Amino acid sequence: MSMKAAVLYSGGKDSSFVAVMLKRLGLDVELFTANFGVYDSYVPASKSADALGFKHNVLKMDKSILEKTCEMILDDGFPNDGIKYIHKQTIEALADDHDIIADGTRRDDRTPKLDINQIKSLEDRKQVQYINLDSFGHKSVKLITENLFEISHEKSNKDNSSDFEVEIRTLIDEMGGNSLDIFPEHYQTRVIGYKQ
Amino acid sequence: MSMKAAVLYSGGKDSSFVAVMLKRLGLDVELFTANFGVYDSYVPASKSADALGFKHNVLKMDKSILEKTCEMILDDGFPNDGIKYIHKQTIEALADDHDIIADGTRRDDRTPKLDINQIKSLEDRKQVQYINLDSFGHKSVKLITENLFEISHEKSNKDNSSDFEVEIRTLIDEMGGNSLDIFPEHYQTRVIGYKQ
């Protein structure tokens, strides 16, 4: 049976954690960062992937999904449901071309996260195995990732993050919205290598 | 912060999986098999632990817990609630002496398994981090464990398993019950080493 796993990857500590975990359990791991054609936001993730020794790919997604996401967020005035939508669409797309897929969502995350019914539906419809970080609470994720990784902490900007947020911000601003109302300034962590 | 993890261990593929996963993520793993003083059922688990290179310990549990378990099972006529009870009591005991504990319960298991509310209650009351195999569905567990481990398949008997079942059977038979009515004959898998 195939041991190839496709991990949805942002360069952050959670998606780096799941990638390293699966590799060390014997799977052939490749990383995928979604891109909607609005901004080359996958560059930071590709650098993190390189630093950790993984093959990195760009998962080209339809711009209409990003547009719908931005409309939802502007209507709602906050990002939760939009982020949930874009994450789910990306996972569905990743599942189309792979037998085993994974992301870095954690047991204690609220959003974006597939619940158990969404996971089982995805697995049945797409004949895929889905893996995440539900085994671990936030304290364990913190402990393990701080032990595994060198992590950079910087004020977030367009060029140090590969989260969905970067292209969402770009398109919201193009649409005449103000993305700073939706996503206040925050600090961004990114994995820059293994700890020695 | 301490990186010591205590894994509840039966010698089966699920608890072996969680032990190896945590070790490969950088934790200092020790294995613990519960014993209620009725039968030395920890011996198969200690052999599996040895074969995988882990330190193995016996977690001495109060016989009254096993007695209550057997009474529940004889009253119910089937083992589910009794097994759930004895597993939960064992996890609680393990949590008393450790900062990080783990077991091999999987996303698709029904019993014995702590639900998310029981996990959060345990973590809060005992100031412990709890880890299991909720990241993985049964297909992924099968794929990964078959790739990692040499596994023996034998008709189950008292001396090739360290599941709770062994001491439960022993005590039920001592109490004048017939354990074969409760636990029909089945095949037992046990991890006997790493795959080459």
Side-chain angles (χ1 to χ4, degrees):
Chain A
M1 212 195 279
S2 167
M3 296 289 288
K4 280 193 187 173
V7 174
L8 183 61
Y9 191 66
S10 72
K13 59 191 175 55
D14 299 339
S15 57
S16 297
F17 180 170
V18 74
V20 168
M21 177 176 83
L22 295 183
K23 185 181 175 191
R24 292 186 182 179
L25 286 170
L27 285 92
D28 301 324
V29 173
E30 287 195 19
L31 310 183
F32 291 79
T33 304
N35 190 265
F36 299 84
V38 162
Y39 192 79
D40 288 350
S41 53
Y42 53 81
V43 175
S46 76
K47 288 182 191 161
S48 298
D50 238 34
L52 297 180
F54 288 101
K55 177 154 193 245
H56 183 261
N57 306 272
V58 176
L59 179 68
K60 286 189 184 159
M61 297 286 295
D62 209 284
K63 191 178 170 185
S64 64
I65 293 169
L66 184 69
E67 287 166 347
K68 185 168 168 193
T69 302
C70 292
E71 284 161 16
M72 288 173 75
I73 291 176
L74 287 170
D75 279 354
D76 294 346
F78 51 88
N80 294 24
D81 287 353
I83 296 279
K84 201 167 170 172
Y85 169 76
I86 198 170
H87 171 256
K88 186 159 188 302
Q89 296 304 312
T90 304
I91 286 287
E92 296 272 337
L94 196 60
D96 284 335
D97 297 321
H98 300 91
D99 297 326
I100 306 174
I101 62 170
D103 68 21
T105 56
R106 304 171 303 174
R107 191 191 77 195
D108 300 337
D109 282 345
R110 277 162 305 175
T111 193
K113 186 163 169 34
L114 304 187
D115 67 33
I116 185 66
N117 296 317
Q118 290 171 323
I119 291 172
K120 295 204 168 171
S121 159
L122 174 77
E123 290 189 335
D124 287 349
R125 280 183 291 110
K126 307 264 183 175
Q127 288 296 300
V128 75
Q129 297 173 43
Y130 169 78
I131 297 168
N132 63 15
L133 289 180
D134 270 349
S135 289
F136 306 91
H138 65 274
K139 282 186 189 168
S140 305
V141 172
K142 187 170 188 293
L143 179 73
I144 292 170
T145 53
E146 286 179 354
N147 192 256
L148 284 175
F149 301 126
E150 287 293 343
I151 296 173
S152 71
H153 298 254
E154 295 174 3
K155 211 172 264 190
S156 72
N157 67 49
K158 278 178 104 161
D159 297 305
N160 65 5
S161 167
S162 296
D163 289 347
F164 294 123
E165 187 185 319
V166 174
E167 282 190 289
I168 295 173
R169 275 172 178 277
T170 306
L171 189 58
I172 283 181
D173 291 336
E174 279 179 28
M175 289 163 78
N178 181 357
S179 65
L180 273 175
D181 290 346
I182 310 277
F183 301 102
E185 278 206 332
H186 59 88
Y187 277 80
Q188 184 67 31
T189 61
R190 197 172 67 77
V191 168
I192 53 176
Y194 292 105
K195 224 159 214 170
Q196 293 310 320
Chain B
M1 212 195 279
S2 167
M3 295 289 287
K4 279 193 187 174
V7 174
L8 184 60
Y9 190 67
S10 71
K13 60 191 175 55
D14 300 338
S15 56
S16 296
F17 179 171
V18 73
V20 168
M21 176 177 84
L22 295 183
K23 186 182 174 188
R24 293 185 181 178
L25 287 170
L27 285 92
D28 301 323
V29 173
E30 287 195 17
L31 309 183
F32 291 79
T33 305
N35 190 264
F36 299 84
V38 162
Y39 193 78
D40 288 349
S41 53
Y42 53 81
V43 175
S46 75
K47 288 181 189 161
S48 298
D50 239 35
L52 297 180
F54 288 101
K55 178 155 192 245
H56 183 260
N57 306 273
V58 176
L59 179 68
K60 286 189 182 159
M61 297 286 294
D62 208 284
K63 191 179 169 184
S64 64
I65 292 170
L66 184 69
E67 287 165 347
K68 186 170 167 191
T69 301
C70 292
E71 284 160 17
M72 287 173 75
I73 292 176
L74 287 171
D75 280 354
D76 294 346
F78 51 87
N80 294 24
D81 288 353
I83 296 280
K84 200 166 171 174
Y85 169 76
I86 199 171
H87 171 256
K88 184 158 189 302
Q89 296 303 312
T90 304
I91 287 288
E92 297 271 338
L94 196 60
D96 283 334
D97 297 322
H98 301 91
D99 298 327
I100 306 174
I101 63 170
D103 68 22
T105 56
R106 303 170 303 175
R107 191 191 77 194
D108 301 337
D109 283 345
R110 277 162 305 177
T111 192
K113 186 163 171 35
L114 304 187
D115 66 34
I116 185 65
N117 296 316
Q118 289 171 322
I119 291 172
K120 296 205 166 169
S121 160
L122 174 76
E123 290 189 334
D124 287 350
R125 281 183 291 109
K126 307 266 183 175
Q127 289 295 299
V128 75
Q129 298 174 43
Y130 169 78
I131 296 169
N132 63 14
L133 289 180
D134 270 349
S135 289
F136 305 91
H138 66 274
K139 282 187 191 167
S140 305
V141 172
K142 187 170 187 292
L143 179 73
I144 292 169
T145 53
E146 285 178 354
N147 192 257
L148 283 175
F149 302 126
E150 287 292 344
I151 297 174
S152 71
H153 298 254
E154 295 174 3
K155 212 172 262 190
S156 73
N157 66 50
K158 278 177 101 161
D159 297 305
N160 66 5
S161 167
S162 297
D163 289 346
F164 294 124
E165 186 185 321
V166 174
E167 283 190 288
I168 295 172
R169 274 172 179 277
T170 306
L171 189 58
I172 283 180
D173 291 335
E174 279 178 28
M175 289 162 78
N178 181 356
S179 66
L180 273 174
D181 290 347
I182 310 279
F183 301 102
E185 278 206 332
H186 59 87
Y187 277 79
Q188 184 68 33
T189 59
R190 196 172 66 77
V191 168
I192 54 176
Y194 292 105
K195 223 159 216 172
Q196 291 311 320

